[in-house]
Amino acid sequence: MSGYAMEPAKPTKISFQALPPSDRWSPTLVVPAPVCRFEGFLGADRADALLEYAISRQDDFRAGTVRDPLTGEVSRKGRDSLVLPVASEVFSAHLADCLPLVQEVLGQRAVLDRSVTVLTAHGEGGHYGIHTDASRVRDVGTALSAVYYLHRRPRGFGGGRLRLYDTAVDGEGRARPAETYRTVEPEHDTIVFFPSCAFHEVVPSTCPSGRFEDHRFTLTTWISDREPAPGAAAPRAAGSGPWQWMARAAEGTRPLGEHGGDPDGARPVPLPPPGPAARRLASGPRTARHDG
């Protein structure tokens, strides 16, 4: 900048008058939710075929629901979307093949061996308010959520972005969702993985044509471990500090007691073991984007 001397500045000590000492300093730690994103997840041909399949099943979609964490009651409060429970051996194989790398990037080492998947469609005004996926998984402290995006090109919708909220931890160790967040754009044939305990939301979408084929589609999946056998201790691999703080903040969103499965009717299916491609990917150059 013009007008300033070019020689090095003289070090200056900040006085106590300018910055008074205090024994009541209690900062709030803000921890970003870890995210891992893949582009071209299924490939152009399979992605387009899956999109056409979703569009062809329009009459089978139903209104998406949520479960109240206090009462366990199922309603549409805070959510406006359509869902269809699905299962796919091909999609499950792709999840299993990339899971070792995803867990490495996200800093998590739990044994995850099953998934629950639904197709979703968001049209005009479609949204899903801030929430965690605690009601969808057995152990919210180790489970992963994944959202795979599908849509026509050019897009027939606007909005519909995913917001992943940071976790705030106060000086007493109390955790809560922060006001800050990162945004994920719903790009066709991309998938994003994040901890199921992370607070997140889908912002409202617009769909000017009103046509179903112009909706924002996803395959939304929750990846977790299975229920332990009666009397057996469940294997658990704790994540790093951020995972523990996020899980602590999410505990209040888990419904009390057992309420008989997924509120949208989806059923868990076992994940196959990772194939040879997964081992090459995990030991070779990184092709995933770590949005952190």
Side-chain angles (χ1 to χ4, degrees):
M1 295 176 64
S2 60
Y4 286 84
M6 296 295 294
E7 63 268 15
K10 181 180 179 181
T12 302
K13 182 178 180 179
I14 299 176
S15 68
F16 286 149
Q17 183 178 3
L19 182 61
S22 173
D23 58 0
R24 296 183 179 181
W25 183 60
S26 183
T28 297
L29 173 66
V30 178
V31 182
V35 180
C36 183
R37 181 173 175 267
F38 290 84
E39 299 175 351
F41 184 67
L42 292 183
D45 292 343
R46 280 178 290 190
D48 289 345
L50 183 57
L51 175 60
E52 293 308 313
Y53 171 81
I55 294 171
S56 73
R57 298 295 300 273
Q58 177 178 358
D59 293 341
D60 298 317
F61 279 78
R62 298 292 182 266
T65 60
V66 297
R67 194 185 298 279
D68 188 281
L70 296 178
T71 66
E73 294 180 355
V74 175
S75 70
R76 296 185 60 192
K77 183 179 180 181
R79 184 180 187 184
D80 186 353
S81 62
L82 300 173
V83 300
L84 175 63
V86 294
S88 165
E89 292 182 5
V90 172
F91 189 70
S92 293
H94 277 259
L95 290 175
D97 285 347
C98 71
L99 190 56
L101 178 57
V102 170
Q103 290 184 282
E104 180 182 342
V105 171
L106 299 186
Q108 194 257 33
R109 291 291 182 271
V111 178
L112 306 179
D113 56 11
R114 70 174 187 171
S115 65
V116 176
T117 303
V118 296
L119 264 171
T120 77
H122 285 227
E124 182 67 31
H127 67 278
Y128 198 158
I130 184 170
H131 64 286
T132 75
D133 292 332
S135 65
R136 308 280 184 171
V137 297
R138 189 193 70 81
D139 183 355
V140 73
T142 60
L144 291 173
S145 297
V147 183
Y148 173 73
Y149 294 103
L150 295 161
H151 60 76
R152 285 270 176 94
R153 281 91 64 214
R155 285 188 194 179
F157 70 91
R161 298 174 184 86
L162 173 68
R163 284 182 179 174
L164 284 165
Y165 284 84
D166 303 333
T167 298
V169 185
D170 65 20
E172 302 297 323
R174 294 183 293 263
R176 57 176 173 78
E179 296 181 0
T180 52
Y181 55 82
R182 65 187 64 190
T183 301
V184 177
E185 194 73 28
E187 297 288 356
H188 181 69
D189 196 25
T190 65
I191 189 169
V192 60
F193 293 84
F194 55 92
S196 296
C197 51
F199 280 84
H200 57 284
E201 72 173 316
V202 179
V203 302
S205 59
T206 61
C207 185
S209 74
R211 295 193 299 264
F212 187 69
E213 58 265 31
D214 288 332
H215 281 38
R216 165 198 180 273
F217 295 95
T218 75
L219 274 180
T220 300
T221 301
W222 302 279
I223 308 169
S224 62
D225 59 355
R226 70 185 66 191
E227 291 284 352
R236 180 177 180 134
S240 60
W243 279 78
Q244 297 170 4
W245 289 320
M246 286 186 291
R248 195 181 307 165
E251 274 304 317
T253 67
R254 177 182 291 280
L256 300 175
E258 298 297 329
H259 295 284
D262 185 85
D264 290 322
R267 297 179 179 179
V269 298
L271 281 178
R279 289 189 286 274
R280 289 196 300 270
L281 186 62
S283 60
R286 297 293 178 255
T287 59
R289 247 178 58 186
H290 184 199
D291 294 338

